[in-house]
Amino acid sequence: MSEVIIKNDEVDIVIGALQSDLTPFLEAWRPFISDFHLIIVKDPDLKEELKIPGGFNLHVYTKSDIDKVVGSSTSGISFSGYACRYFGYLVSRKRYIISVDDDCLPAKNSKGELTDPVSQHIINLSTPATPFFFNTLYDPFCEGADFVRGYPFSLRTGVECGLSCGLWLNLADLDAPTQALKPSLRNTRYVDAVLTVPTRAMLPVSGINIAFNTELVGPALTPAFRLAKEGNLRWETVEDIWTGMCVKVICDHLRLGVKSGLPYVSRQERGNAIESLKKEWEGVKLMEEVVPFFQSLRLSETSVTPEDCVAEIAAAVKERLGPVSPTFAGAAGTMVEWIKLWKRVRAQ
């Protein structure tokens, strides 16, 4: 498989705005995103007007825009809080989406040099993934690497990469219990590596810093899983963890790759872990049911598109997890609504 060159007009940068003043954020990112189209989705619960500096090619979506597009027929889908980013995924018409939270800045590598997260995500998506046999030099398509001795030549062409999962310096994406127990813990290790997550291996995908190919997996990123006491802060949600497991199962089924590692972003602290723990604890408990479910899930040969796969997963969730908790039954219903909405918006 030859390397694919991604053009700037094939990429949307999606930003969920949970704070009103985006000036410091956008100015820090200007060197890396000014040549791309930006989709900024304002959290419907944010009352203040957004402050956005000039010089960007962007489109801002507000609550009225969301209501106009979504309508009243999809009452189960919520775009509040971090889930507002999913509206950006929905309305984008580009092949590739790079999504980053508004509390993140471009990170510096181990030499103190500022890195370009956008270019690295594009590299991850445009080069093959190798999910069926692990290469001990990590990504063999990175500069200075190759396949190691013993790697089957029949698998060296790899497969297309559907999802690129970037990482975080400073405040790592820890859960509320861990952060509450270790309030001073910070990630300072910059590991210059990318790897393909092996097939059938689950991983906790964080929506903080991701990129994906919308044609391959776009509709699989769905804002379906919401906790009863869910808040708007990162520690109070697990929707992206659920979404990531859906995407990974679908990538395994459709023979696509998921990469993790570079690029890093530097995360700023937001919220109180101890207070958030009260809201997230339900999710911590439910994950003990979720992981075995996805680990054992196998999709049928009749599911040949990501839309088909989401529908089949939703049916399995309703049947196998629905009796465990109403949260699962709600997620299954929302996944079905999301696919209908995705198809309707894309058909316009």
Side-chain angles (χ1 to χ4, degrees):
M1 182 182 294
S2 59
E3 180 178 339
V4 178
I5 303 301
I6 298 178
K7 300 178 181 179
N8 289 9
D9 60 4
E10 294 182 286
V11 179
D12 268 335
I13 311 292
V14 172
I15 301 161
L18 273 71
Q19 56 183 325
S20 59
D21 189 0
L22 294 179
T23 302
F25 168 81
L26 289 173
E27 291 297 351
W29 282 90
R30 186 184 290 275
F32 311 117
I33 65 175
S34 58
D35 291 337
F36 297 90
H37 177 251
L38 313 184
I39 293 178
I40 299 177
V41 185
K42 181 183 178 184
D43 176 9
D45 299 328
L46 184 63
K47 305 303 181 185
E48 298 84 4
E49 292 295 321
L50 293 182
K51 297 179 181 179
I52 299 174
F56 292 96
N57 173 22
L58 56 82
H59 196 121
V60 177
Y61 292 91
T62 63
K63 185 179 185 301
S64 61
D65 299 310
I66 295 174
D67 292 340
K68 187 183 302 182
V69 172
V70 175
S72 59
S73 61
T74 53
S75 57
I77 301 176
S78 172
F79 294 104
S80 66
Y82 284 106
C84 67
R85 66 160 77 93
Y86 292 92
F87 184 80
Y89 306 166
L90 180 69
V91 298
S92 172
R93 289 296 184 271
K94 302 295 178 64
R95 184 178 182 184
Y96 301 97
I97 287 176
I98 297 173
S99 182
V100 64
D101 281 0
D102 66 353
D103 60 352
C104 297
L105 301 176
K108 294 182 179 180
N109 61 22
S110 54
K111 298 179 181 179
E113 302 165 335
L114 201 62
T115 61
D116 182 352
V118 174
S119 294
Q120 183 63 55
H121 272 307
I122 289 175
I123 290 172
N124 291 350
L125 292 175
S126 62
T127 54
T130 53
F132 307 117
F133 201 87
F134 188 79
N135 192 57
T136 50
L137 276 181
Y138 303 109
D139 188 348
F141 296 95
C142 286
E143 184 178 354
D146 208 325
F147 293 96
V148 298
R149 181 170 57 91
Y151 201 101
F153 280 87
S154 60
L155 296 177
R156 294 192 182 192
T157 53
V159 297
E160 288 186 278
C161 180
L163 177 67
S164 169
C165 303
L167 298 177
W168 339 268
L169 292 177
N170 190 38
L171 191 67
D173 191 28
L174 306 174
D175 52 38
T178 303
Q179 192 64 52
L181 287 171
K182 301 178 179 179
S184 61
L185 179 62
R186 295 294 182 269
N187 182 32
T188 60
R189 291 190 305 163
Y190 183 95
V191 181
D192 188 6
V194 177
L195 59 84
T196 296
V197 182
T199 186
R200 304 304 178 198
M202 292 294 101
L203 76 158
V205 172
S206 169
I208 292 168
N209 171 26
I210 62 170
F212 57 93
N213 184 319
T214 56
E215 295 178 0
L216 299 179
V217 301
L221 285 100
T222 164
F225 195 83
R226 297 191 70 86
L227 303 174
K229 297 180 180 180
E230 183 167 302
N232 282 352
L233 301 176
R234 169 55 50 204
W235 290 313
E236 300 167 0
T237 69
V238 290
E239 41 81 12
D240 52 350
I241 306 298
W242 174 272
T243 296
M245 293 191 188
C246 290
V247 174
K248 186 56 168 63
V249 166
I250 291 171
C251 283
D252 289 346
H253 176 71
L254 298 179
R255 297 182 67 82
L256 302 170
V258 173
K259 293 183 182 180
S260 178
L262 300 177
Y264 282 87
V265 294
S266 179
R267 290 190 63 218
Q268 312 304 306
E269 188 166 5
R270 177 189 287 171
N272 183 293
I274 295 177
E275 290 300 316
S276 295
L277 177 58
K278 302 173 184 177
K279 299 178 181 179
E280 191 193 47
W281 185 243
E282 178 194 358
V284 173
K285 293 186 293 183
L286 290 178
M287 283 302 111
E288 299 304 314
E289 302 285 346
V290 169
V291 174
F293 167 78
F294 281 109
Q295 286 177 325
S296 64
L297 187 60
R298 299 292 184 271
L299 302 181
S300 64
E301 293 182 359
T302 56
S303 291
V304 296
T305 67
E307 291 91 341
D308 294 339
C309 294
V310 173
E312 186 173 347
I313 292 174
V317 170
K318 181 178 180 181
E319 177 184 354
R320 292 169 53 183
L321 293 180
V324 177
S325 168
T327 301
F328 294 126
T334 302
M335 291 170 72
V336 173
E337 287 190 34
W338 172 257
I339 291 301
K340 292 179 181 178
L341 178 63
W342 182 275
K343 291 179 178 179
R344 175 167 64 81
V345 172
R346 291 286 160 147
Q348 294 175 354

